[in-house]
């Protein structure tokens, strides 16, 4: 198995309305490490998880805003340099779904353009209390061209899959972007040269 | 019987100090009633005494001052030297209130925040810190024990005030920078707040420091390249030093390392949102009951997190005298602009540039 430090390291952020179950998703994904080893894990980055994909180990550094949602301004610094964002809503809470738009807006302003997103509907274990249908969730995700999945942090259903989907989306996007930086560099070089020429022209 | 009485006294104190912990806890109430019947059925007169406790307190509101005292004893093992009232009187002498009565001016709206501009960076930091200290010391620890503090604002009055104050001042910082139409004064204003941030870090008021930091780091300010280009390397170094301390990396590891040295020894105002995150995970990651028994570890973890937040708050601090006028001004600051408006204003001040400038 390859070493994590030698492999890819992605910064992922989990956002969403408070009580949507963000911390539960993270805890479930981290195999409840926080519960068993709390005294040691506070202050240590327990939100670092390695994911094996196609014989490759991908390090995931997961940042979550649990408990800080109302300090709105803090979260803006979280978005910087993010590779992926997981937007979580509660399928039993209409208000949390209404805020999805707000979160997408925020990402477009604060996060880098290359960031990948996934919309996640949580609490599928509470099917009898469901207020947001799967279709509505799917439509919301489709309108923003991002993947969608419904999970249950309580039972653990689809939690790992959600993170895998986010990583897949990132891999796909990064493949598409391979040529873009080259183009950018070339364009930049040309403009620098043209600036120099222009400056010289002005001097003479 | 002695031991039974001890237990009953403990539970009755629990009800007295934390009545709303008992609300909607039907199982707990039922168990308490059964316990009362079992222990005190032969002594009916005493049964009435303990039963009354529960009925009287179930609908009452939390006693913030009492809880605060409890916390003070719990963490410092020292009696409170002055009660809250005396402390307030000391901080805001009545004479001062009379002297500094402000005349309401016609153009109050535009002058609303100008008084804050008259303060030096150090004065601004000190006054902000005093305001923050008052808020934090009024925070009832029981407010933090509820995981659903977002849903029930009435149960978390001080925490709600702290959050609003944080967001409002942070918005004010961004707005104040963007208010300057020209690059040079805008850059100076940016420098001013960066300096305030640094002073607050040195004063160990991490909560207020983060307020300023988040105001300066907001996307609408962060993108102001022209204004930033006028700042010196020294300005950035000082800012980065503080920023590095409060970085969310590794679950605020740098910040935690820093305060570990001060805990219970030296005064500091904690950055509360770190504790809120910890408490969220403590609640979510630890069951309330294991095999029907109360999971005391859960409460122990919560206690340690709160101890980290409050243990140094009651130590001696060297605050200068508060300026009532400024304190009132902080209180008056409401959300000035929305995030969207600020960003729009930012684009107006420094429009997006063509691709060639992006490196």
């Amino acid at each position: 198995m390859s070493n994590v430090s030698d492999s890819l390291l992605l910064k992922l952020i989990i956002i969403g309305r408070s009580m949507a179950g963000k911390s539960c998703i993270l805890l479930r994904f981290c195999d409840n490490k926080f519960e068993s080893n709390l005294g040691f894990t506070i202050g240590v980055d327990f939100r670092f998880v390695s994911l094996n994909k196609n014989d490759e180990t991908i390090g995931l550094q997961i940042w979550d805003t649990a408990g800080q949602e109302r300090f709105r301004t803090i979260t803006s610094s979280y978005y910087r340099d993010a590779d992926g964002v997981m937007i979580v809503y509660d399928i039993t809470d209409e208000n949390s779904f209404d805020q999805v738009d707000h979160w997408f807006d925020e990402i477009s302003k604060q996060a880098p353009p290359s960031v990948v997103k996934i919309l996640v509907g949580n609490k599928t274990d509470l099917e009898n209390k469901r207020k947001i249908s799967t279709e509505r969730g799917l439509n919301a995700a489709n309108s923003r061209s991002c993947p969608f999945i419904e999970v249950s942090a309580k039972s653990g259903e689809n939690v790992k899959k959600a993170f895998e989907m986010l990583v897949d989306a990132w891999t796909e996007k990064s493949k598409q972007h391979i040529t873009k930086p080259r183009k950018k560099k070339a364009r930049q070089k040309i403009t620098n040269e043209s600036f120099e020429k222009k400056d010289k022209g002005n001097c003479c | 019987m002695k031991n039974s009485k001890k237990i009953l006294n403990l539970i009755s104190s629990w009800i007295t100090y934390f009545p709303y912990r008992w609300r909607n806890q039907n199982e707990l109430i039922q168990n308490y009633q059964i316990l009362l019947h079992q222990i005190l059925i032969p002594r009916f007169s005493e049964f009435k005494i303990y039963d009354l406790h529960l009925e009287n307190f179930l609908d009452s509101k939390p006693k913030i001052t009492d809880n605060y005292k409890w916390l003070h004893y719990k963490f410092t093992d020292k009696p409170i030297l002055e009660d809250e009232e005396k402390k307030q009187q000391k901080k805001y002498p009545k004479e001062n209130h009379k002297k500094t009565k402000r005349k309401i001016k016609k153009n109050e709206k535009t002058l609303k925040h100008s008084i804050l501009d008259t303060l030096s960076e150090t004065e601004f930091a000190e006054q902000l810190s005093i305001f923050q200290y008052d808020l934090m010391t009024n925070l009832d620890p029981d407010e933090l024990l509820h995981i659903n503090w977002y849903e029930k604002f009435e149960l978390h009055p001080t925490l709600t005030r702290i959050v609003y104050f944080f967001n409002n001042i942070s918005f004010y910082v961004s707005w104040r920078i963007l208010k300057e139409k020209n690059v040079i004064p805008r850059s100076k204003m940016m420098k001013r707040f960066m300096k305030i941030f640094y002073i607050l870090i040195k004063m160990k008021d991490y909560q207020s420091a983060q307020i300023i930091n988040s105001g300066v780091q907001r996307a609408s300010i962060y993108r102001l390249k022209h204004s930033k280009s006028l700042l010196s390397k020294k300005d950035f170094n000082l800012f980065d030093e503080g920023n590095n301390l409060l970085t969310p990396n590794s679950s605020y590891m740098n910040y935690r390392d820093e305060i570990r040295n001060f805990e219970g020894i030296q005064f500091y105002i904690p950055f509360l949102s770190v504790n809120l995150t910890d408490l969220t995970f403590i609640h979510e990651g630890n069951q309330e009951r294991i095999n029907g028994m109360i999971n005391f570890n859960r409460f122990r973890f919560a206690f340690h997190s709160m101890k980290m937040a409050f243990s140094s708050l009651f130590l001696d601090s060297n605050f200068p005298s508060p300026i009532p006028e400024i304190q009132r001004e902080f209180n008056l600051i409401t959300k000035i602009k929305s995030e969207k408006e600020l960003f729009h204003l930012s684009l107006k001040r420094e429009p997006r540039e063509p691709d060639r400038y992006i490196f």
Side-chain angles (χ1 to χ4, degrees), chain B residues 16-250:
Chain B
T16 315
Y17 288 117
F18 308 104
Y20 53 96
R21 290 288 294 166
W22 287 70
R23 279 180 209 150
N24 305 322
Q25 298 279 347
N26 295 333
E27 199 189 336
L28 201 63
I29 292 166
Q30 212 178 345
N31 285 340
Y32 178 58
Q33 298 285 7
I34 292 166
L35 187 76
L36 281 181
H37 277 89
Q38 282 174 349
I39 297 172
L40 295 171
I41 210 80
R43 297 174 168 226
F44 191 69
S45 56
E46 287 185 36
F47 170 81
K48 262 190 164 179
I49 296 168
Y50 287 106
D51 200 32
L52 266 176
H53 267 295
L54 182 63
E55 285 172 7
N56 282 345
F57 286 102
L58 262 182
D59 295 321
S60 66
K61 283 182 178 176
K63 291 177 180 177
I64 289 170
T65 335
D66 286 347
N67 282 342
Y68 160 68
K69 279 178 185 168
W70 167 82
L71 185 86
H72 183 89
Y73 284 118
K74 195 81 193 167
F75 288 144
T76 59
D77 293 324
K78 284 177 194 170
I80 295 170
L81 297 173
E82 300 166 286
D83 58 26
E84 263 321 91
E85 210 174 307
K86 278 182 185 172
K87 219 173 177 183
Q88 289 295 324
Q89 273 179 11
K90 200 183 165 189
K91 275 187 176 175
Y92 305 104
K94 281 178 184 173
E95 290 167 16
N96 274 7
H97 277 289
K98 280 178 190 172
K99 275 181 189 175
T100 51
K101 254 189 176 177
R102 244 178 110 199
K103 285 175 187 175
I104 299 164
K105 290 172 187 173
K106 277 181 186 176
N107 205 5
E108 182 75 28
K109 215 174 177 181
T110 48
L111 289 169
K112 199 174 171 185
H113 304 294
S114 58
I115 191 167
L116 298 177
D117 294 340
T118 60
L119 299 172
S120 71
E121 285 90 354
T122 313
E123 282 170 338
F124 188 101
E126 284 169 351
Q127 294 303 318
L128 183 66
S129 212
I130 291 167
F131 197 95
Q132 194 70 59
Y133 176 74
D134 275 356
L135 279 176
M136 296 290 258
T137 47
N138 274 316
L139 182 62
D140 179 1
D142 211 37
E143 287 188 39
L144 300 175
L145 279 176
H146 291 264
I147 185 64
N148 55 348
W149 52 69
Y150 302 102
E151 307 300 319
K152 295 175 182 171
F153 294 110
E154 71 278 5
L155 287 178
H156 318 101
T158 316
L159 184 60
T160 309
R161 271 193 76 199
I162 289 173
V163 169
Y164 278 114
F165 181 68
F166 188 103
N167 291 332
N168 290 343
I169 299 289
S170 167
F171 268 102
Y172 163 75
V173 170
S174 308
W175 170 82
R176 188 61 197 85
I177 294 169
L178 289 169
K179 196 183 159 201
E180 301 295 343
K181 287 177 184 169
N182 298 321
V183 184
I184 295 170
R186 194 161 55 241
S187 173
K188 275 183 183 169
M189 196 48 77
M190 212 181 256
K191 189 179 172 179
R192 174 179 161 83
F193 284 115
M194 282 161 82
K195 205 172 167 188
I196 291 170
F197 168 69
Y198 184 73
I199 294 166
L200 283 164
I201 291 280
K202 290 287 156 205
M203 283 172 66
K204 298 183 179 61
D205 178 359
Y206 302 111
Q207 176 78 3
S208 305
Q210 191 65 324
I211 294 179
I212 306 293
N213 189 23
S214 58
V216 178
Q217 295 262 13
R218 197 186 298 272
S220 47
I221 305 296
Y222 195 76
R223 60 173 294 282
L224 299 175
K225 284 175 188 167
H226 288 298
S227 312
K228 277 164 130 182
S229 66
L230 297 178
L231 296 170
S232 68
K233 245 189 177 179
K234 194 187 160 194
D235 297 329
F236 276 113
N237 287 344
L238 289 178
F239 185 72
D240 286 344
E241 193 186 309
N243 205 16
N244 192 36
L245 185 75
L246 292 174
T247 174
N249 281 346
S250 301

Side-chain angles (χ1 to χ4, degrees), chain A residues 24 35 38 67-68 70 73 80, chain B residues 150 167 217 277 284-285 301:
Chain A
C24 273
E35 182 181 0
L38 185 91
Q68 301 182 23
R70 285 178 65 207
T73 42
R80 252 158 240 152
Chain B
Y150 302 102
N167 291 332
Q217 295 262 13
T277 305
E284 298 286 333
F301 292 146

Side-chain angles (χ1 to χ4, degrees), chain A residues 106-136:
Chain A
E106 193 139 303
I107 294 165
S108 64
K109 270 187 211 135
Q110 317 259 19
S114 60
V115 78
V116 288
K117 293 152 265 182
I118 185 170
L119 185 63
V120 175
N122 188 23
K123 304 190 186 178
T124 50
D125 49 290
L126 300 172
E127 196 58 50
N128 53 340
K129 289 181 183 172
R130 181 191 274 274
K131 283 180 184 159
I132 313 297
S133 67
T134 310
E135 275 183 0
R136 276 180 73 188

